[in-house]
Amino acid sequence: MISPDPSKTGPRWFVSGDLDGFLGLSLDNLIQILLILGLCRGVLGYPDALVFGTILPATGISLLIGNGAYALQAYRLAQRERRSDRTALPYGINTVSLFAYIFLVMLPVKLTALSQGVDEATAVRLSWQAGLMACLGSGLIEASGAFCADWLRRWLPRAALLSTLAGIALGYIALGFLLRTYAHPLVGLAVLAVILATYYGKVRFPIPGGLLAVLVGCVLAWSSGLIEANPERWAQEAAQIGWRMPQLELGSLWAARGQLLPWLGVIVPMGLFNVLGSLQNIESAEAAGDRYPVRSSLLINGLGTVVAAGLGSCFPTTIYIGHPGWKGMGARIGYSWLNGLLMGAACLLGLFGVVGQIVPIEAGMAIVLYIGLVITAQAFEATPRSHAAAVALGLMPGLAGWGALLIKAGLRAGGAGGPETPFGPGLLEGLQQADVWAAGAFALEQGQIITAMLLAAMVVYAIEQRFKAACLTALVAAVCSWFGVIHAWQFSASDTTLQLGWGTGAAWAQGYLAMAVVFAVASLRRQITRSDS
């Protein structure tokens, strides 16, 4: 008697392999939520009422809906094919967007508002509303991408797109957490070693590598005194526990409509990256044997982000990399819906404040560092070898933006940026004498994502001797500069901000026009050389 093929017995909502997949995916989501909690409180100064009452519940609903939708999608595919080995697409909070929106949108809005004499509560609200608009814009682009993904993939050079986000990943994520690792070396380096051994070295332990890293980090953090029991803090976090359902924030989104145009330079490239990144992850799933429809997969992704923004979260969601890995460890459908259920419930119940007291961010920061390394390495690995120079140049605006952030933070910590000592041109002279060209860093900081895409694209076209395309790209950069979409900046009392307007970026526009002339001459010279040969 021939036993039936177990892979062709039809779908099941949960199998034993889903447990390992659930632990891994939920750990990724846990780290992202702890980052949201830490950055919103520490960097942005958001009150607990906003974080626990609005942002986290909205995040939880988006995770619940998205994971549930992808689980249902996998179940229907398995049912249609009468198979039991279909693995749902992994889904969660977009790490790069999280950092990009906090440091490139929400923090600048708050600092600018404070420098204009706005009170703290109003500045926080303006900052949050800007984040909502950025999140909504990203979600709409992701949803729209479901209908034009193939065209976008043909139009955008891969090196231009991947290097752009790699610059953010390398600076704001990887280097930021590497500094934090060496600030707490016992915990940081031990956890990093576990991640390197398990994720890169493929060493298998009885529990998933990410979970092992967090457990090791927690033990070392508690035993070394890095964190200590604080009854008052525990009581404060326990007070946040309670059921909170988010409300529609359509009024806040409408109030933030003026925040759309100034931040298109961040919103549009991030949205495009999410579309193409999700598309690549769908292709990765197909290579592993699970062929999901592109349009519905991207629509789920985009609508999940729109739901998050509509309910009060500033943080887009996305299809995660690593589907083949989850499939290889035996995860199927259950790991997805179980992750959405647990993460959603914990967000709605306000549990992550207490969780953050048990699991310090130091215990999981090596995982975030790993994500930054993966994104940066992918920029080189997934592009033609001849385009490596384009990737390298595309990294630099993101690194310059991160450097500008450090410069300004250092100045504020040193007492500058207050009512009596506002930022001004005098700061540039002192820094320049120390060979720190802050003016260039501030110029690259504004519209850094668009700048990186344009520069990397120009290098790609030059390498491929497509000088007309390089000339056109330089002209686009000149137009963007002229109107202040990129580079044009001005001092506020405690920050540098984008300066939109006619001719505000004339100096950089002239530079890009000169580049366009050079490329035009190169194109003409190439035609003459061809005709002579």
Side-chain angles (χ1 to χ4, degrees), residues 284-504:
S284 174
E286 183 173 344
D290 294 345
R291 186 173 186 177
Y292 290 107
V294 171
R295 180 167 296 180
S296 63
S297 298
L298 291 177
L299 274 175
I300 292 170
N301 188 25
L303 292 176
T305 297
V306 170
V307 167
L311 294 176
S313 172
C314 309
F315 306 110
T317 50
T318 190
I319 301 172
Y320 276 177
I321 61 174
H323 172 278
W326 305 126
K327 189 176 183 68
M329 67 172 57
R332 296 296 178 254
I333 298 171
Y335 88 112
S336 181
W337 65 259
L338 192 57
N339 173 71
L341 192 62
L342 179 68
M343 291 293 114
C347 285
L348 293 170
L349 288 169
L351 298 178
F352 283 107
V354 173
V355 172
Q357 293 301 300
I358 301 172
V359 183
I361 195 62
E362 287 79 9
M365 61 189 177
I367 297 174
V368 185
L369 173 58
Y370 166 75
I371 293 171
L373 293 177
V374 167
I375 294 171
T376 305
Q378 183 190 41
F380 288 95
E381 295 169 350
T383 56
R385 188 171 182 177
S386 61
H387 294 175
V391 174
L393 183 59
L395 293 173
M396 293 182 186
L399 293 176
W402 182 66
L405 185 74
L406 294 186
I407 291 172
K408 290 182 288 187
L411 290 171
R412 285 190 291 267
E420 298 180 358
T421 55
F423 282 3
L427 291 175
L428 300 179
E429 297 176 7
L431 290 169
Q432 188 171 320
Q433 290 176 2
D435 201 31
V436 177
W437 294 86
F442 297 154
L444 281 169
E445 179 189 24
Q446 305 303 329
Q448 60 189 267
I449 299 178
I450 292 179
T451 302
M453 291 178 66
L454 293 171
L455 288 176
M458 279 188 262
V459 178
V460 168
Y461 296 142
I463 291 169
E464 296 178 348
Q465 296 187 331
R466 297 164 58 190
F467 294 112
K468 289 182 180 178
C471 177
L472 180 60
T473 305
L475 290 174
V476 170
V479 172
C480 290
S481 298
W482 182 265
F483 289 100
V485 176
I486 57 177
H487 302 318
W489 63 277
Q490 59 188 340
F491 278 118
S492 67
S494 59
D495 200 8
T496 53
T497 60
L498 192 66
Q499 188 179 16
L500 293 170
W502 178 264
T504 54

Side-chain angles (χ1 to χ4, degrees), residues 9 41 84 139 225 262 293 309 314 318 330-331 364 417 420 493 514 523:
T9 57
R41 281 172 152 180
S84 61
C314 309
T318 190
E420 298 180 358
S523 177

Side-chain angles (χ1 to χ4, degrees), residues 30 34 37 41 52 56 222 227 233-242 346 349-360:
L30 169 63
L34 291 180
L37 188 61
R41 281 172 152 180
F52 287 95
L56 288 186
W222 280 95
I227 57 173
R233 186 66 178 174
W234 276 90
Q236 179 184 348
E237 300 296 1
Q240 303 301 329
I241 297 176
L349 288 169
L351 298 178
F352 283 107
V354 173
V355 172
Q357 293 301 300
I358 301 172
V359 183

Side-chain angles (χ1 to χ4, degrees), residues 168-323:
I168 293 176
L170 192 59
Y172 293 89
I173 301 177
L175 277 170
F177 278 94
L178 186 63
L179 298 183
R180 194 161 177 169
T181 294
Y182 276 85
H184 304 292
L186 175 61
V187 178
L189 292 176
V191 173
L192 179 60
V194 175
I195 293 298
L196 295 178
T198 55
Y199 287 6
Y200 285 115
K202 308 300 181 184
V203 177
R204 297 187 64 86
F205 290 96
I207 59 176
L211 179 59
L212 177 62
V214 169
L215 292 176
V216 169
C218 287
V219 170
L220 290 176
W222 280 95
S223 62
S224 66
L226 178 62
I227 57 173
E228 299 177 353
N230 185 331
E232 293 183 4
R233 186 66 178 174
W234 276 90
Q236 179 184 348
E237 300 296 1
Q240 303 301 329
I241 297 176
W243 184 259
R244 297 176 178 87
M245 280 297 293
Q247 305 294 319
L248 278 174
E249 297 292 345
L250 300 182
S252 297
L253 282 168
W254 177 252
R257 62 192 183 279
Q259 298 283 5
L260 180 61
L261 183 60
W263 304 110
L264 282 179
V266 178
I267 297 169
V268 173
M270 289 304 306
L272 293 177
F273 170 75
N274 292 343
V275 170
L276 296 180
S278 296
L279 187 62
Q280 289 176 343
N281 292 330
I282 295 169
E283 292 174 349
S284 174
E286 183 173 344
D290 294 345
R291 186 173 186 177
Y292 290 107
V294 171
R295 180 167 296 180
S296 63
S297 298
L298 291 177
L299 274 175
I300 292 170
N301 188 25
L303 292 176
T305 297
V306 170
V307 167
L311 294 176
S313 172
C314 309
F315 306 110
T317 50
T318 190
I319 301 172
Y320 276 177
I321 61 174
H323 172 278

Side-chain angles (χ1 to χ4, degrees), residues 63-80:
L63 290 175
L64 179 61
I65 291 175
N67 279 280
Y70 285 121
L72 181 60
Q73 181 191 52
Y75 184 88
R76 287 177 173 173
L77 177 67
Q79 192 175 47
R80 185 167 60 250

